[in-house]
C-alpha cells in the first residue's frame, strides 16, 4: 500500500524506478497475499472469541477483503506498465480469489448460524450448503452478466454465462439427488427466478467488431 501511495504522489523511491518496484518488489508480496486468502478461506472458520461472529465483519473476512483490495490497487497501478494480456490474466486471478473468498464467507456463516461443521466432507453432503451455494453462484452469475451488459464487456458477460451453466450442471448432477427437501426446492425456485431475470436485465452485449462497424 505504501508503494502504491508513493507512486501516486511521485515521491521517492518510485519517482524513477516505479516499474522495478511495482513488479519485482510487489509481486512476492502479492503472491503471499493470494496464498493467505486461499488458506484463510480453506482453514479458518472465522471464530474470534470473545468477539461474536458477524458476516463480513469478522477478522478472517476483513483480512481477506484488505488483501483483495490491495491486489485491486496494484492491478490498477500496473495498467500503464503491463500489456493487455497480463492485465487480463491478473484480473482473472483476482476474480477467482474473490469468488473463493465469497464462497468461504457463505460457508462460515452457515457454520455459525446453521451449525454446519467447517469441514469439506461434511459441507459436500449438506443439503443446506449445496442449496445455498447454488443460489450464491446464480446471483454472482447474474451480477457478472448485468455488469458485462451495462459496461458492454462481452468477456465479463460470458464469464457470467459460464458460471450460470455451471449452476445448471450442479442442479442436475448434485442437487437433484435430494430434490424432495425444502432447501433443494427453494434453491431451484431461486435459481429459476434469477435465470428468468437474465434476459430482461442483462442481455448479451454486442461484439466489439459490431460496435466499431456501427
Amino acid at each position: 500500500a505504501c508503494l502504491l501511495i508513493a507512486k501516486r504522489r511521485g515521491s521517492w523511491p518510485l519517482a524513477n524506478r516505479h516499474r522495478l518496484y511495482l513488479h519485482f518488489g510487489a509481486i512476492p508480496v502479492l503472491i503471499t497475499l493470494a496464498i493467505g486468502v486461499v488458506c484463510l478461506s480453506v482453514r479458518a472458520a472465522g471464530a474470534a472469541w470473545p468477539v461474536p461472529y458477524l458476516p463480513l465483519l469478522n477478522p478472517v473476512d476483513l483480512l481477506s477483503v484488505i488483501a483483495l483490495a490491495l491486489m485491486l490497487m496494484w492491478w490498477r497501478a500496473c495498467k500503464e506498465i503491463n500489456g493487455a494480456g497480463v492485465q487480463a490474466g491478473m484480473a482473472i486471478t483476482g476474480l477467482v480469489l474473490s469468488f473463493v473468498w465469497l464462497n468461504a464467507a457463505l460457508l462460515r456463516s452457515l457454520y455459525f448460524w446453521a451449525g454446519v461443521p467447517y469441514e469439506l466432507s461434511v459441507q459436500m453432503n449438506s443439503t443446506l450448503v449445496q442449496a445455498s451455494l447454488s443460489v450464491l453462484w446464480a446471483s454472482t452469475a447474474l451480477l457478472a452478466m448485468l455488469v458485462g451488459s451495462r459496461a458492454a464487456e462481452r468477456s465479463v458477460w460470458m464469464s457470467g454465462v459460464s458460471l450460470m451453466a455451471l449452476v445448471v450442471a450442479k442442479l442436475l448432477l448434485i442437487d437433484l439427488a435430494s430434490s424432495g427437501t425444502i432447501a433443494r426446492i427453494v434453491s431451484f425456485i431461486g435459481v429459476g427466478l434469477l435465470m428468468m431475470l437474465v434476459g430482461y436485465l442483462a442481455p448479451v452485449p454486442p461484439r466489439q467488431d459490431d460496435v466499431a462497424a456501427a
Side-chain angles (χ1 to χ4, degrees), residues 142-158 197-206 208:
L142 176 60
L143 179 61
M145 296 171 70
L146 183 61
V147 172
S149 179
R150 296 293 186 269
E153 291 288 344
R154 195 178 181 89
S155 59
V156 177
W157 191 88
M158 290 302 298
L197 290 175
V198 168
Y200 177 74
L201 297 177
V204 56
Q208 295 296 330

Side-chain angles (χ1 to χ4, degrees), residues 2-156:
C2 294
L3 288 175
L4 295 174
I5 294 174
K7 176 187 179 296
R8 185 175 300 176
R9 295 181 177 178
S11 57
W12 185 88
L14 292 184
N16 298 321
R17 295 183 176 88
H18 63 280
R19 182 187 299 267
L20 177 64
Y21 279 96
L22 287 178
H23 275 186
F24 297 99
I27 284 180
V29 178
L30 292 168
I31 293 176
T32 303
L33 290 176
I35 295 174
V37 171
V38 174
C39 291
L40 287 175
S41 299
V42 173
R43 302 180 62 88
W49 186 90
V51 180
Y53 174 82
L54 292 175
L56 306 181
L57 295 178
N58 59 84
V60 174
D61 284 329
L62 289 177
L63 288 174
S64 299
V65 169
I66 292 173
L68 293 170
L70 289 175
M71 294 178 193
L72 177 61
M73 293 172 59
W74 180 75
W75 178 77
R76 288 181 174 178
C78 290
K79 279 187 175 181
E80 61 189 44
I81 299 175
N82 295 327
V86 176
Q87 284 293 101
M90 293 191 302
I92 292 174
T93 302
L95 290 175
V96 170
L97 288 173
S98 300
F99 188 65
V100 170
W101 162 74
L102 187 61
N103 282 270
L106 171 64
L107 296 177
R108 278 191 284 269
S109 298
L110 294 177
Y111 167 65
F112 282 97
W113 289 356
V116 181
Y118 203 74
E119 300 176 7
L120 182 60
S121 58
V122 179
Q123 293 166 349
M124 291 295 295
N125 295 319
S126 171
T127 301
L128 178 60
V129 168
Q130 295 300 327
S132 301
L133 288 176
S134 296
V135 175
L136 175 64
W137 292 6
S139 302
T140 306
L142 176 60
L143 179 61
M145 296 171 70
L146 183 61
V147 172
S149 179
R150 296 293 186 269
E153 291 288 344
R154 195 178 181 89
S155 59
V156 177

